[in-house]
Amino acid sequence: MTREQTFEKLYRMKLHGFAHALEEDLKQPDLATLSFEERLARLVDAQWLWRENRSLSNRLRKAKLKQQGSIEDINFRHPRQLDRSLMRSLASCDWVREHHNIAITGPSGIGKTFLCCALLEKACREGFTTLYFGAEKFFRTLAVAYADGSFDKLLSKLCRVDVLAIDDWGIAPMGDRERRHMLEVLEDRNQVRSTLVTSQFPIENWHGVVASPTLADAIVERILTRAHRVELKGDSIRPLSRGRESKEAQS
């Protein structure tokens, strides 16, 4: 078998990482001193890393994050009462493994969206699937699916996502349809998947956001059951427009 045939078969088997590493190894004669097992281990590690990186890229693409953010870039210097120990705990992603929720509240410009996206990005790195929605788009997507008959299919898709994020909840008024659709989504995910909600409204005002006593109890309970609360206070972070801090300017 010729070298070209070997590479062709590797690529056809989708062993791209293995093929790339083998091609690089062939350019380094000094690697010939390694044993067969050592060279094979190098190639297998390269294939494994290639597959892991590709899987991560796919998870990040499907997450549809509004911002690029990471746990490592979170600004703890701004006086907004962000609990460093809590964020360190959330960075472990045990909250996802244990199907806990997160509720992030605070005024506009305080960095809620950045924190949301940073937590989702970390979950993707840990191997979990995530999906980001702005609240208005979330309800619009549900309404369109309900109208065209694909509502049950969409509910099934949302139920399978490890972490569903609904950003800026409460900005747009909720009608009866939005309330019932949100309850269906939360009911399917309750204690079997994680949900992350951000809102400008303090948690004690969430019943008023739902504006329906009966459904408000059900919706708020499903969000806050086994939930970690990140309650931000203080001035907007947006004036910090230079360097890495500018990444948290949108919320």
Side-chain angles (χ1 to χ4, degrees):
M1 183 185 299
T2 65
R3 182 177 295 179
E4 290 74 16
Q5 289 174 320
T6 298
F7 279 104
E8 180 183 356
K9 289 180 178 180
L10 287 172
Y11 283 118
R12 290 180 65 180
M13 290 188 292
K14 302 185 185 304
L15 298 175
H16 298 275
F18 193 106
H20 292 161
L22 178 58
E23 187 174 6
E24 290 301 313
D25 280 6
L26 293 173
K27 298 176 183 177
Q28 303 179 52
D30 56 308
L31 293 179
T33 60
L34 298 178
S35 69
F36 172 80
E37 289 81 3
E38 290 172 324
R39 296 191 68 178
L40 179 61
R42 283 172 51 85
L43 298 174
V44 171
D45 285 344
Q47 173 60 29
W48 178 268
L49 180 60
W50 178 86
R51 191 179 69 169
E52 290 296 297
N53 287 339
R54 186 181 184 190
S55 296
L56 174 58
S57 296
N58 286 336
R59 288 194 296 273
L60 289 171
R61 175 177 54 81
K62 292 178 180 178
K64 300 180 181 179
L65 303 181
K66 183 176 181 179
Q67 297 182 24
Q68 290 185 348
S70 67
I71 291 290
E72 293 79 9
D73 287 334
I74 291 177
N75 177 8
F76 290 100
R77 295 187 300 277
H78 188 84
R80 50 179 172 168
Q81 300 185 27
L82 180 58
D83 189 330
R84 187 187 292 267
S85 63
L86 173 59
M87 296 308 300
R88 186 182 300 115
S89 173
L90 296 177
S92 71
C93 288
D94 285 341
W95 64 280
V96 186
R97 297 181 183 91
E98 297 169 5
H99 312 308
H100 292 181
N101 299 331
I102 295 179
I104 302 176
T105 59
S108 176
I110 202 70
K112 299 184 299 298
T113 297
F114 184 91
L115 291 179
C116 170
C117 291
L119 288 166
L120 294 185
E121 192 266 352
K122 185 59 165 63
C124 286
R125 281 193 274 156
E126 292 290 321
F128 298 106
T129 58
T130 70
L131 182 58
Y132 170 94
F133 276 106
E136 291 192 26
K137 184 176 181 180
F138 174 69
F139 288 119
R140 187 166 62 249
T141 300
L142 290 170
V144 170
Y146 186 79
D148 67 16
S150 62
F151 189 70
D152 288 342
K153 182 178 180 180
L154 177 59
L155 286 181
S156 179
K157 174 186 175 182
L158 295 178
C159 184
R160 292 193 301 270
V161 175
D162 293 320
V163 185
L164 173 66
I166 305 171
D167 191 20
D168 244 348
W169 179 56
I171 293 297
M174 294 180 68
D176 186 63
R177 181 179 63 184
E178 287 78 15
R179 289 190 285 264
R180 294 186 181 279
H181 285 177
M182 185 166 189
L183 180 57
E184 284 199 65
V185 172
L186 293 175
E187 179 64 27
D188 286 345
R189 301 181 58 78
N190 190 32
Q191 300 191 48
V192 295
R193 293 288 188 273
S194 297
T195 303
L196 191 160
V197 175
T198 81
S199 178
Q200 293 185 26
F201 295 91
I203 289 174
E204 57 267 25
N205 295 345
W206 280 10
H207 280 73
V209 171
V210 180
S212 170
T214 303
L215 292 178
D217 284 341
I219 290 173
V220 174
E221 178 188 6
R222 281 159 180 76
I223 296 174
L224 296 183
T225 296
R226 302 168 69 182
H228 303 272
R229 303 186 184 191
V230 181
E231 299 176 275
L232 305 176
K233 298 178 182 179
D235 297 328
S236 171
I237 202 170
R238 284 178 179 153
L240 300 175
S241 58
R242 295 183 298 274
R244 292 193 309 178
E245 292 168 343
S246 65
K247 295 179 181 179
E248 296 193 54
Q250 300 296 321
S251 177

